[in-house]
Amino acid sequence: MNSQMMTTNLNLWSPPPDITVAEWADFYRQISPEANVEPGSWHTDRAPYQREIMNAISDDSIEKIIVMTAAQVGKTEIILNTIGYYVDKEPSPILLLQPTLSMGEAFSKDRLAPMIRDTPCLTGKIKDPRARDSGNTLLHKRFPGGQITICGANSPASLASRPIRILLCDEVDRYPDSAGTEGDPVSLAIKRTQNFWNRKIILVSTPTRQTHGIYEEFQLTSQEEWCVPCPVCGELNPFEWERIKFKELPEPVMTCRKCNKDFNQFEWASMQINGKWIAMNPSVTRVRGFHMNSFASPWASWSDLCTQYQEAKLNGEEKLKVFVNTVLGEPYESKEGTLDSEILENRREKYNAELPDGVLVITAGVDVQDDRLECEVVGWGLGHESWGICYKVIYGDPALNETWLMLDDFLCRAWHYKDGTSIILSCVCIDSGGHFTDEVYTFCKPRSKRNIFAIIGRGGYGRPSVAGPTRNNRRKTPLFTLGVSTIKGVLQSRLMTEKTGAGYCHFPDDKNLGYDSRYFAGLVSERMITKRVRGRDVIVWEQRNKNIRNEPLDCRVYASGAIEIFNPDLAKHAARRAGAHIPERQKETSQVLKKIATPRVKLLRSGIRV
């Protein structure tokens, strides 16, 4: 037996080294250039909150570690350092569980392989899978005294019995509820650690829900928060969103919860080296839990994070959920029950004309029912501040030409400001998904030059607000697809906006315009809920009360889709509006109305249905 083999065998039987995971990383770890914007030697002091998490992993008295954090705070680097430590200093069988096999393959190629290549103490212990005699594969790598197996939580075969000591579960909240028919993948993986008295179970994830995931696991831990001392009074402060101030300030600041002084990101960052993890549940000792958000990260800009929040608030509850999960590192609690029709009805206001001064563009949405057409005209201003202008119900059989003529008369009219100027509809969306698809196509095709379009609504999280148009239909008319779930999320966020300005929704105090109790009940007739479908969280919209009609909601969604299709430069419209000469504007509107009326007369005379 040669001396190198003897040394290796002696190392396998040696007691664990007197070195922590963090110390190993500071001494040995090299960061690969393709995996990080800061390549070179690892320095834990760059993100001091990582030190205690890594030290807990190498603490013999700790069996389970739960890391519930925001995205992009270094969770993956902690996993890589843990793997490197146990390969080099405490050879053990390791299992890394990723949400899917494909994600496991990507981790192996993009993160693990570069670390092994660039960290000298690992390069000689794990042979390249391409080497002829390595015996290694993309998902299984051997080294003296142990091996690394990378599995997908969606693959029951990859979780087959094989003893492991170190279990690393990454992005737990993205796991399916069951690995095939075998059951919860985390529980299956933990069973494989039972042969080791010194096992380590590490669960890492950005939270998404309050049940059956990282948040539920975190409740059973020491519940530690990363706290940094105040630059003035020394009070340890967690990074809390509630104490971040940014509105009407040159830069975001966080207020000290003791002395009430404000400090910016760099002033708090200068104190990070003296930060501490403070346990909210100190009675739990063998299971440590760590929570922090992106405001503690040295790689995140507070200004960017606050901008993300403002954009999310304007773009619906689905976007707000992403902000809470990935920036605050918290599960999102839906505010689905806070929309109240009476609150919206009570904030109706008197307009000074058909079109309030803030309106720059008007659109309409039309819903088709078996015995009527329902239509809402909506005015839009800067920041998508909106004004309900008129909600009209046209009774009549949509199979009859006369019903559509009444709608056409309504859509052709001009709408007036207090100063006497007027504008016409810029875009109209008409639902073609009911029993009168052919009638909608027939009506819309000759009017597409007036931006009157047939639409079809499609639900489902992640769909764009507007897609198309396509002419792949029997009438070859332009057909747009609206992502109604996305638009409803944006609309709900806007309806919840309480301060006039960007996103705020105005309604007229005039029941003759259609804004009565029925309208407001219909506007909030649906709510967004999260359902678990095939192991995934799916956002869906459901009726609050089946006895309440939802046409007002649908019409507002279609009118919102219309403004997205038209996509105006509202700032330019505002400039034109401010400098418009009244007689010229009136002349322009009359000329446009004349052009609109001409093709309609020709169609009537030719006997073609309109």
Side-chain angles (χ1 to χ4, degrees), residues 303-316:
S303 294
D304 290 346
L305 296 178
C306 292
T307 299
Q308 288 179 40
Y309 169 74
Q310 290 176 303
E311 292 174 350
K313 192 174 180 182
L314 285 176
N315 287 290

Side-chain angles (χ1 to χ4, degrees), residues 31-319:
I31 303 173
S32 304
E34 65 265 53
N36 200 292
V37 295
E38 300 176 358
S41 298
W42 172 273
H43 298 287
T44 304
D45 285 346
R46 182 72 174 92
Y49 53 78
Q50 295 177 330
R51 184 179 305 279
E52 189 63 23
I53 300 174
M54 291 189 286
N55 287 347
I57 293 171
S58 48
D59 185 340
D60 288 339
S61 67
I62 307 300
E63 179 179 85
K64 196 172 186 180
I65 298 95
I66 307 299
V67 183
M68 182 181 77
T69 71
Q72 304 302 317
V73 296
K75 300 191 301 294
T76 302
E77 299 300 335
I78 291 172
I79 290 174
L80 288 167
N81 288 341
T82 302
I83 292 173
Y85 169 85
Y86 281 104
V87 169
D88 186 35
K89 296 301 182 184
E90 285 192 64
S92 306
I94 303 169
L95 174 65
L96 172 62
L97 191 59
Q98 290 280 352
T100 65
L101 276 175
S102 61
M103 291 178 69
E105 291 172 352
F107 179 91
S108 180
K109 289 187 291 186
D110 301 338
R111 306 304 298 271
L112 182 58
M115 181 184 74
I116 294 169
R117 179 198 66 207
D118 296 329
T119 304
C121 66
L122 302 178
T123 306
K125 295 184 178 181
I126 301 179
K127 294 184 178 180
D128 192 313
R130 294 170 294 183
R132 187 172 299 176
D133 60 343
S134 75
N136 288 339
T137 66
L138 192 62
L139 298 176
H140 184 73
K141 303 179 186 300
R142 294 184 296 177
F143 53 88
Q147 71 273 331
I148 307 169
T149 303
I150 302 174
C151 296
N154 63 339
S155 174
S158 65
L159 290 170
S161 178
R162 176 185 286 163
I164 57 169
R165 180 191 166 203
I166 310 300
L167 172 61
L168 295 161
C169 296
D170 191 18
E171 291 301 344
V172 171
D173 274 25
R174 298 176 68 180
Y175 292 179
D177 285 342
S178 179
T181 60
E182 303 295 322
D184 175 41
V186 174
S187 298
L188 291 174
I190 289 176
K191 286 182 180 179
R192 293 172 55 177
T193 68
Q194 290 176 347
N195 291 345
F196 291 89
W197 65 270
N198 56 350
R199 66 180 181 176
K200 293 289 179 181
I201 301 166
I202 300 105
L203 273 58
V204 178
S205 188
T206 297
T208 60
R209 57 190 188 276
Q210 291 188 335
T211 58
H212 195 69
I214 199 75
Y215 182 80
E216 191 175 67
E217 291 280 356
F218 182 75
Q219 302 311 303
L220 305 176
T221 72
S222 54
Q223 299 181 25
E224 299 175 45
E225 294 283 345
W226 178 246
C227 299
V228 175
C230 170
V232 171
C233 71
E235 173 75 8
L236 286 168
N237 284 258
F239 289 90
E240 293 177 320
W241 172 241
E242 293 76 14
R243 291 186 292 111
I244 302 286
K245 297 189 293 188
F246 60 93
K247 293 182 178 179
E248 300 176 359
L249 294 174
E251 61 180 338
V253 296
M254 188 174 80
T255 306
C256 172
R257 61 183 181 181
K258 183 178 181 180
C259 68
N260 292 319
K261 295 188 183 306
D262 296 332
F263 303 97
N264 64 26
Q265 177 177 6
F266 301 102
E267 290 168 322
W268 284 109
S270 68
M271 306 302 293
Q272 287 254 33
I273 197 67
N274 298 314
K276 292 182 180 179
W277 287 98
I278 304 297
M280 303 295 111
N281 191 17
S283 61
V284 177
T285 56
R286 283 186 58 81
V287 183
R288 294 189 68 177
F290 301 92
H291 172 257
M292 57 168 289
N293 61 41
S294 292
F295 286 91
S297 173
W299 302 288
S301 159
W302 283 18
S303 294
D304 290 346
L305 296 178
C306 292
T307 299
Q308 288 179 40
Y309 169 74
Q310 290 176 303
E311 292 174 350
K313 192 174 180 182
L314 285 176
N315 287 290
E317 193 168 9
E318 294 174 18
K319 298 290 186 183

Side-chain angles (χ1 to χ4, degrees), residues 503-517:
Y504 186 82
C505 299
H506 300 262
F507 301 100
D509 188 13
D510 188 345
K511 293 182 180 179
N512 293 326
L513 294 175
Y515 293 92
D516 53 14
S517 297

